[in-house]
């Protein structure tokens, strides 16, 4: 399968990994939109949020848990931060392997653009 994020899981492309466990990988975004911009992905290939199945629920929840843990580790959990998952074209998804953006270290506005 020609999937960039699967290649990161397989260590086939250079990646700045910041967290890894059996089901999840987290790495720095190549084009950061905040002082901290980490992508948290399931190791299993799931193309979009629409493709999550009941068997994936624990892994999906783990993405959120890892985001909060990284926010605490990086010291901005109490001040606040933003997590985002973009879905399909109108949602701004460009890589079709689900990923949670963890953005921190600055103030964010709402609504998102
Ligand atoms: P999306 O637009 O699908 O929500 O987010 C895709 C993200 O992947 C973007 O923030 C983009 O900067 C990031 N990205 C794309 N290619 C690479 C890459 O080769 N390495 C890393 N670390 N991030 C990438
Ligand atoms: Zn993939």
């Amino acid at each position: 399968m020609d999937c960039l994020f699967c290649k990161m899981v397989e260590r086939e492309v250079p990646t700045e990994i910041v967290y890894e466990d059996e089901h999840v990988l987290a790495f720095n975004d190549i084009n950061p939109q905040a002082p901290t911009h980490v992508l948290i992905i399931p190791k299993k290939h799931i193309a979009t949020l629409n493709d999550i199945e009941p068997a994936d629920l624990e892994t999906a929840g783990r993405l959120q848990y890892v985001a909060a843990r990284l926010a605490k580790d990086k010291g901005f959990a109490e001040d606040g931060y933003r997590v985002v998952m973009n879905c399909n074209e109108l949602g701004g998804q460009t890589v079709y392997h689900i990923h949670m953006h963890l953005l921190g270290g600055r103030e964010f506005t709402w609504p998102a653009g």
Side-chain angles (χ1 to χ4, degrees):
M1 195 189 308
D2 194 28
C3 169
L4 176 63
F5 288 177
C6 283
K7 286 180 182 152
M8 289 175 171
V9 172
E10 299 301 328
R11 305 291 205 276
E12 290 172 9
V13 291
T15 311
E16 286 179 24
I17 293 168
V18 298
Y19 174 88
E20 180 172 25
D21 65 32
E22 191 184 346
H23 299 292
V24 167
L25 188 72
F27 52 87
N28 289 324
D29 197 291
I30 202 169
N31 183 23
Q33 302 300 312
T36 292
H37 186 171
V38 171
L39 300 177
I40 307 159
I41 70 169
K43 288 187 171 177
K44 175 185 172 184
H45 181 83
I46 302 170
T48 79
L49 270 177
N50 296 333
D51 301 302
I52 291 178
E53 295 174 346
D56 303 320
L57 290 182
E58 193 176 327
T59 300
R62 186 169 280 269
L63 301 181
Q64 187 67 75
Y65 177 73
V66 169
R69 222 178 101 173
L70 290 172
K72 288 176 195 167
D73 288 350
K74 290 175 181 291
F76 54 70
E78 291 305 318
D79 284 343
Y81 56 96
R82 177 70 54 84
V83 292
V84 178
M85 291 182 84
N86 298 323
C87 184
N88 279 336
E89 192 179 348
L90 292 189
Q93 186 173 5
T94 58
V95 177
Y96 282 78
H97 178 136
I98 60 168
H99 46 281
M100 179 172 284
H101 297 256
L102 166 64
L103 299 136
R106 67 170 171 87
E107 187 171 359
F108 298 94
T109 57
W110 191 260

